[in-house]
């Protein structure tokens, strides 16, 4: 018998049992061993509470502005650029000029609007007289032309007309004395309110009414006459004159006096300044103040 045969049957059975029941043995070992402890899961740690801090002061909310307050903030303080300032100055100058023009037109219109019917009729008559005077002057020139064309001795006629024209030009230039119908205007200025521009307005009004020769306090008024304020008096071409101011004027009295008395004219302007004006008509006014003949420095006759 072999050695294997000599092995007791009981041992062989135990061996088989031990080999065949390996799983049971393993289970027994697992039961005897302690169970595996699972790895501790990571637990999120709560953040440590921060130490108490004093609350930061919050800015006060801005109050809501009304529309008027926003408009006021936009307009003040003003933000003006140089270009805006220039435009504003130009607009101011334009507006001021328009206002002065409108005011002057309104004054003249209001003066005529408030005039009496007699004054309006007198103004119309004065305009008609001026038109007639210009028409007479035109006819006189046409007559001279016809005489020159029809005269048998044109040279003699031309000489006569030249002498007459020289006399007329001498009266206008103030180099010769003159006499004829006209008016005398006297201005009493006790308050000292009459100025040079007021007397200049009177001279211009008289010239427009057809005055041919004017003399003021012994000073002959010519085309180049200028007036200036001189202390309590007035300077005429550098000659100081004082009140009362006496105007001697040669011309048609029916035209001169109404021209000075029109509404808003010379007389009313002077009376507003508390001056007293008197006008007297006369059939003979003598203007004897003379001006020295002055030869022009540069102008020469084109016929030479």
């Amino acid at each position: 018998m072999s050695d294997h045969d000599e092995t007791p049957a009981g041992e062989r059975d135990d061996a088989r049992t031990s080999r065949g029941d390996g799983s049971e043995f393993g289970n027994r070992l697992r039961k005897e061993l302690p169970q595996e402890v699972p790895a501790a899961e990571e637990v999120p740690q709560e953040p440590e509470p921060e130490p108490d801090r004093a609350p930061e002061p919050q800015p006060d909310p801005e109050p809501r502005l009304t529309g008027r307050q926003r408009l006021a903030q936009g307009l003040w303080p003003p933000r003006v650029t140089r270009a805006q300032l220039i435009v504003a100055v130009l607009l101011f100058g334009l507006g001021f000029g328009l206002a002065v023009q409108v005011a002057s037109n309104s004054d003249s219109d209001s003066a005529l609007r408030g005039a009496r019917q007699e004054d309006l009729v007198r103004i119309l008559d004065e305009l008609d007289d001026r038109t007639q005077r210009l028409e007479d002057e035109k006819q006189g020139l046409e007559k001279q032309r016809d005489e020159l064309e029809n005269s048998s001795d044109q040279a003699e006629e031309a000489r006569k007309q030249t002498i007459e024209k020289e006399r007329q030009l001498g009266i206008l230039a103030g180099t010769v004395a003159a006499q004829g119908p006209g008016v005398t205007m006297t201005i009493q200025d006790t308050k000292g309110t009459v100025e040079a521009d007021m007397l200049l307005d009177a001279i211009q009004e008289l010239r427009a009414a057809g005055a041919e020769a004017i003399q003021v306090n012994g000073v002959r008024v010519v085309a180049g006459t200028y007036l200036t304020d001189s202390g309590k008096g007035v300077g005429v071409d550098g000659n100081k004159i004082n009140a009362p101011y006496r105007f001697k004027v040669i011309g048609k009295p029916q035209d001169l006096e109404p021209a000075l008395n029109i509404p808003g004219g010379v007389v009313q302007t002077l009376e507003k300044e508390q001056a007293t004006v008197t006008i007297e008509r006369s059939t003979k006014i003598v203007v004897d103040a003379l001006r020295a003949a002055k030869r022009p420095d540069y102008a020469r006759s084109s016929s030479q």
Side-chain angles (χ1 to χ4, degrees):
M1 296 177 65
S2 63
D3 294 337
H4 297 285
D5 292 337
E6 292 178 358
T7 303
E11 292 179 0
R12 287 196 299 273
D13 294 334
D14 293 337
R16 284 195 300 273
T17 302
S18 12
R19 286 192 300 271
D21 298 331
S23 59
E24 182 179 356
F25 180 76
N27 292 333
R28 187 172 59 249
L29 287 177
R30 289 190 187 94
K31 294 179 179 179
E32 292 177 359
L33 290 175
Q35 295 183 356
E36 294 180 0
V37 180
E41 298 180 355
E42 294 181 0
V43 179
Q45 296 181 357
E46 297 181 357
E48 296 181 0
E50 296 180 0
D52 295 338
R53 294 180 180 179
E56 297 181 358
Q58 297 295 330
D60 297 336
E62 296 182 357
R64 298 184 62 183
L65 301 177
T66 63
R68 183 177 298 177
Q69 291 175 340
R70 288 196 298 271
L71 178 61
Q73 287 185 353
L75 295 176
W76 190 264
R79 302 174 181 86
V80 181
T81 63
R82 183 178 181 181
Q84 292 174 342
L85 182 61
I86 295 175
V87 172
V89 172
L90 293 177
L91 291 177
F92 174 78
L94 178 60
F96 181 76
L98 291 176
V100 171
Q101 183 66 26
V102 171
S104 61
N105 293 337
S106 300
D107 293 340
S108 60
D109 294 342
S110 61
L112 294 177
R113 191 180 300 113
R116 298 175 301 175
Q117 183 176 1
E118 294 81 0
D119 295 333
L120 295 176
V121 172
R122 185 171 56 187
I123 294 173
L124 292 176
D125 292 340
E126 180 186 352
L127 294 177
D128 293 339
D129 292 338
R130 291 183 183 180
T131 304
Q132 185 62 39
R133 186 170 62 253
L134 293 176
E135 186 66 25
D136 294 341
E137 183 177 355
K138 175 184 175 183
Q139 292 178 0
L141 294 175
E142 291 177 350
K143 182 180 179 181
Q144 292 178 6
R145 182 195 62 186
D146 296 338
E147 290 176 353
L148 286 174
E149 292 177 352
N150 300 328
S151 175
S152 58
D153 190 356
Q154 296 183 358
E156 182 64 22
E157 187 64 27
R159 188 182 64 82
K160 292 180 180 180
Q161 292 188 9
T162 300
I163 295 175
E164 180 64 20
K165 181 63 67 175
E166 181 181 0
R167 187 184 64 84
Q168 294 176 1
L169 293 177
I171 293 175
L172 296 177
T175 57
V176 298
Q179 67 178 14
V183 297
T184 301
M185 179 175 67
T186 305
I187 302 174
Q188 297 286 350
D189 181 26
T190 58
K191 302 292 184 181
T193 56
V194 176
E195 298 179 350
D197 58 341
M198 301 176 187
L199 300 184
L200 181 60
D201 290 340
I203 293 174
Q204 291 176 344
E205 192 66 40
L206 290 170
R207 283 175 173 170
E212 297 177 353
I214 304 175
Q215 175 178 318
V216 183
N217 286 31
V219 180
R220 188 71 170 265
V221 176
V222 295
T225 294
Y226 63 92
L227 285 80
T228 58
D229 292 320
S230 178
K232 295 183 178 181
V234 175
V236 181
D237 290 337
N239 302 303
K240 184 177 180 181
I241 60 176
N242 298 315
Y245 305 107
R246 188 180 302 275
F247 286 71
K248 292 183 178 182
V249 186
I250 296 177
K252 188 176 181 180
Q254 293 80 0
D255 294 339
L256 299 176
E257 184 179 3
L260 297 173
N261 286 315
I262 61 174
V266 175
V267 174
Q268 287 191 0
T269 301
L270 293 172
E271 288 178 349
K272 287 182 180 178
E273 299 297 331
Q274 300 181 357
T276 304
V277 182
T278 57
I279 301 175
E280 297 178 359
R281 297 186 184 186
S282 177
T283 57
K284 183 179 180 181
I285 298 292
V286 178
V287 175
D288 52 3
L290 302 180
R291 301 290 292 266
K294 182 179 179 182
R295 181 180 178 85
D297 295 330
Y298 305 100
R300 295 293 182 269
S301 175
S302 59
S303 61
Q304 294 179 356

